[in-house]
Amino acid sequence: MTNHEIGMEAYYYSINNELIGGISKKNAVKCFEQIIAMLDSDERLNLPFITVNGKCFVATKKRLIKCSKNMFGYKFKEWKWSQIRNVFYKKALTTGTLILNTVDGEVKISINRDGAEFAGEILRKLKNEAK
């Protein structure tokens, strides 16, 4: 499979599991393609999701990677599971929030309310498996 095909599958996985946010399909697929190109040969996508403000995330067994698109291209941030102490999630009236307690402080990720519990549980599972 090409990176584009995998990016498309990641996009549709996000939609089907209600982990979709404010980004166009074209930009989301491009972000996922960029993340896929960064992965090691033994890594696979365990959880691709899109935040409500249009950032794409991919969780693997090794790390969590964020891709955001700006005027000048793509910007990436990643956390290895050893850098994340705890993973929590909260659901509010309209959105959900994933809360990562990292060695650098708290990171809040706003996602679709209906996908918050699903994403939180998978991230917790990946974090526990990485120990």
Side-chain angles (χ1 to χ4, degrees), residues 63-79:
R63 56 192 166 162
L64 178 65
I65 305 168
K66 173 179 90 172
C67 173
S68 53
K69 173 130 176 50
N70 61 26
M71 185 185 300
F72 304 109
Y74 297 93
K75 182 178 169 187
F76 301 94
K77 171 91 173 137
E78 76 174 62
W79 298 269

Side-chain angles (χ1 to χ4, degrees), residues 35-87:
I35 293 173
I36 291 162
M38 293 173 55
L39 298 178
D40 297 336
S41 62
D42 62 337
E43 280 185 287
R44 74 188 258 314
L45 308 178
N46 288 77
L47 179 68
F49 63 96
I50 302 168
T51 66
V52 294
N53 53 359
K55 294 177 178 43
C56 296
F57 281 78
V58 168
T60 70
K61 290 192 177 196
K62 292 182 179 181
R63 56 192 166 162
L64 178 65
I65 305 168
K66 173 179 90 172
C67 173
S68 53
K69 173 130 176 50
N70 61 26
M71 185 185 300
F72 304 109
Y74 297 93
K75 182 178 169 187
F76 301 94
K77 171 91 173 137
E78 76 174 62
W79 298 269
K80 300 221 182 297
W81 290 114
S82 61
Q83 295 174 299
I84 299 173
R85 295 182 181 132
N86 296 311
V87 176

Side-chain angles (χ1 to χ4, degrees), residues 7-20:
M8 289 291 288
E9 283 193 17
Y11 175 77
Y12 285 114
Y13 178 90
S14 299
I15 289 174
N16 292 337
N17 289 291
E18 299 181 15
L19 300 168
I20 192 75

Side-chain angles (χ1 to χ4, degrees), residues 3 5-6 18 20 31 50 54 57 69 81 126-127 129:
N3 286 355
E5 292 169 331
I6 297 169
E18 299 181 15
I20 192 75
C31 264
I50 302 168
F57 281 78
K69 173 130 176 50
W81 290 114
L126 290 169
K127 165 73 178 131
E129 288 176 1

